[in-house]
Amino acid sequence: AFLDYHDIPYKVVEVNPLSKKEIKWSEYKKVPILTVDGEHLVDSTDIINILQHRISPDDEVTNEEETKWRKWVDEHLVHVLSPNIYRTTSEALESFDYIAKHGNFSYTERFAVKYAGAAAMYFVAKKLKKKYNITDERASLYDAANTWTEALNGRNFLGGSKPNLADLAAFGVLRPIRYLQSGKDMVEHTQIGEWYQRMEDAVGEPSRIPEGQYQE
């Protein structure tokens, strides 16, 4: 979301969640990993901090409210997603269907990613649900969405008239699930939809470089 908002072109490499062969070169085995001018940046929050400093080196990275809600995104919001998007076997398959279709995988890999990946994450989600003391997956998602909406306190964005880094962090976390069943339910049962639409409009079209146009 940060790259799209600032119209920074980028190439996406989908990582096989089973083999992770695309990032075998990296000691860091999670995504995202962003390579900029040969430098490998990891962790979403750190990536945004570094890029923000490069874009506006004289600006403060964040203010107190922004810091609070970016931390909330990292420490709370992200943890309610997996138990929701992998809540049932059908929802797990729905989620992995996108990865299988958009990754540069062979037919066998696509099949394995979709079905083995979905099965694995279905059980992982149950463990995460217990780890984070979630009793009702959807209720936790709706509560998080409503908490965010209340934090806006009538403003278009947490940043006021335009998104700040907390807005972009929350949007970046929620965008992948928006049109999955969990995301549709979230918008239907909470007040977050209007903010989400404003964020879609503000962020604009992805600045992702189509594969055919990418030059090594």
Side-chain angles (χ1 to χ4, degrees):
F2 181 91
L3 298 177
D4 293 332
Y5 182 66
H6 290 284
D7 294 321
I8 300 172
Y10 59 92
K11 176 191 176 186
V12 172
V13 177
E14 295 289 352
V15 174
N16 186 316
L18 302 179
S19 67
K20 297 187 177 181
K21 64 180 182 178
E22 293 80 6
I23 55 173
K24 279 187 175 179
W25 51 268
S26 174
E27 293 182 2
Y28 187 80
K29 297 304 181 184
K30 299 179 181 180
V31 292
I33 300 174
L34 181 68
T35 302
V36 182
D37 298 330
E39 180 183 2
H40 304 305
L41 310 178
V42 300
D43 183 84
S44 297
T45 298
D46 290 343
I47 289 171
I48 290 175
N49 287 342
I50 292 168
L51 293 181
Q52 179 68 18
H53 180 70
R54 291 188 181 187
I55 293 170
S56 304
D58 297 327
D59 292 347
E60 287 189 21
V61 171
T62 188
N63 59 42
E64 186 175 341
E65 182 185 42
E66 201 172 9
T67 299
K68 170 187 173 181
W69 288 102
R70 290 181 73 192
K71 184 177 180 181
W72 175 83
V73 170
D74 288 342
E75 296 183 357
H76 181 73
L77 182 60
V78 294
H79 297 311
V80 305
L81 295 193
S82 289
N84 273 279
I85 61 179
Y86 307 121
R87 182 181 63 147
T88 64
T89 53
S90 62
E91 287 180 284
L93 285 169
E94 177 192 35
S95 177
F96 272 86
D97 186 55
Y98 175 87
I99 299 172
K101 286 180 177 177
H102 290 80
N104 186 25
F105 309 135
S106 68
Y107 175 81
T108 303
E109 287 176 323
R110 286 199 299 270
F111 185 88
V113 164
K114 180 175 180 178
Y115 292 98
M121 287 309 300
Y122 172 77
F123 290 106
V124 168
K126 300 307 176 188
K127 292 182 180 180
L128 292 174
K129 178 181 175 181
K130 183 177 181 180
K131 178 179 179 179
Y132 295 109
N133 298 314
I134 296 172
T135 55
D136 183 313
E137 298 95 337
R138 283 296 194 266
S140 69
L141 180 62
Y142 301 161
D143 285 347
N146 287 329
T147 296
W148 176 257
T149 304
E150 290 168 7
L152 297 176
N153 195 27
R155 295 170 290 181
N156 283 341
F157 306 102
L158 194 76
S161 60
K162 62 181 181 180
N164 64 14
L165 296 182
D167 285 293
L168 290 169
F171 181 71
V173 167
L174 294 175
R175 183 162 63 170
I177 78 162
R178 170 60 183 91
Y179 296 101
L180 298 178
Q181 188 58 53
S182 53
K184 293 175 182 176
D185 289 347
M186 175 187 69
V187 169
E188 181 180 351
H189 292 94
T190 73
Q191 301 301 313
I192 203 170
E194 292 184 4
W195 168 84
Y196 187 93
Q197 185 60 57
R198 289 193 294 269
M199 284 299 299
E200 274 197 332
D201 295 340
V203 170
E205 292 296 318
S207 50
R208 173 179 180 171
I209 302 171
E211 286 189 30
Q213 299 178 19
Y214 182 75
Q215 299 293 324
E216 295 288 351

